[in-house]
Amino acid sequence: MRDGEGWETVSSDRHFANAHLEVVTDQVRTPARSQPRGWTVVHRKAAVIIAPMTRDGKIVLIRQERVPIRAAIWEMPSGQIDAAETIEQVAVRELREEAGYELAEGGELTALGYYFSSPGFTDEHGYFFLARRVERCKEASARDEGESILDCREFGVEELRRMIAENEIRDANTLSMCARLAAHGFLSLDRR
């Protein structure tokens, strides 16, 4: 994140960095504080989160092992943005690589804004995309060896609603995307 509108980074002390993240302690003047305030921050690449929707309105989810939480969970495809690609290119790539789906003829990719995953400690943010009218890839896609995707399935709205209510869907990306889809009228989470 960049300084601006009364924010000023006075100093930054790096504690750790690798290809995926960087941990720093920043001394920052804020619009409300003239004295610098120390805050440990995890910098992480931005990501895309894709809501793949089939012609009949089903949502495609992947079931993936997540080492930090020691569980396999259902979630929407997502991936980090590399400098050489546009966010739209990353969305299409991740849809293919993680789910094995692509836009059908006449399908479209719609940007739905962005969000911050946990702004109390990280600047990580994700860009939301609705990939509407998707179909299984005609050619098999190669999954990234670093991924642990166990399953990929299409879910109807009723099942998606049940999974959220029963805590089967519990990651911030998918829950936030469902809220965004509902706010834009692409998905109704109301009980009928």
Side-chain angles (χ1 to χ4, degrees):
M1 305 307 322
R2 292 182 299 220
D3 290 341
E5 298 181 27
W7 295 85
E8 178 191 0
T9 302
V10 177
S11 66
S12 188
D13 182 28
R14 179 191 257 184
H15 304 292
F16 173 82
N18 66 20
H20 303 286
L21 59 88
E22 176 186 44
V23 180
V24 300
T25 298
D26 289 335
Q27 295 295 322
V28 179
R29 281 193 188 93
T30 73
R33 292 174 172 239
S34 61
Q35 292 298 318
R37 178 179 187 184
W39 205 267
T40 300
V41 178
V42 176
H43 295 294
R44 189 163 156 87
K45 291 180 190 176
V48 296
I49 300 92
I50 307 100
M53 186 179 284
T54 63
R55 289 184 193 278
D56 58 354
K58 291 185 176 179
I59 299 291
V60 178
L61 298 178
I62 59 173
R63 184 167 173 80
Q64 185 166 198
E65 287 182 327
R66 292 300 193 175
V67 173
I69 62 170
R70 308 297 196 270
I73 59 174
W74 286 104
E75 57 189 80
M76 293 191 181
S78 63
Q80 289 185 327
I81 300 167
D82 292 323
E85 295 178 289
T86 67
I87 56 176
E88 292 83 2
Q89 289 171 324
V90 175
V92 170
R93 175 176 50 82
E94 292 296 334
L95 176 63
R96 175 180 284 277
E97 287 179 4
E98 290 197 351
Y101 280 72
E102 62 190 356
L103 288 171
E105 187 174 327
E108 60 187 359
L109 192 64
T110 304
L112 298 176
Y114 67 96
Y115 85 114
F116 295 99
S117 62
S118 189
F121 83 95
T122 182
D123 61 356
E124 178 186 44
H125 57 289
Y127 295 91
F128 291 131
F129 286 93
L130 169 61
R132 192 160 41 166
R133 290 188 301 279
V134 298
E135 62 188 11
R136 288 197 179 275
C137 293
K138 292 169 184 61
E139 299 173 13
S141 60
R143 287 212 168 116
D144 184 340
E145 290 296 318
E147 307 278 358
S148 295
I149 298 171
L150 306 174
D151 198 2
C152 178
R153 292 196 350 226
E154 298 175 6
F155 294 90
V157 175
E158 289 295 323
E159 191 168 14
L160 193 64
R161 185 180 306 116
R162 180 198 59 75
M163 292 169 76
I164 292 169
E166 294 178 7
N167 207 37
E168 285 182 55
I169 293 177
R170 54 190 181 270
D171 71 290
N173 285 347
T174 304
L175 292 170
S176 297
M177 175 62 93
C178 287
R180 189 64 56 101
L181 290 170
H184 282 274
F186 292 116
L187 181 71
S188 174
L189 295 177
D190 294 332
R191 290 182 168 245
R192 294 179 188 193

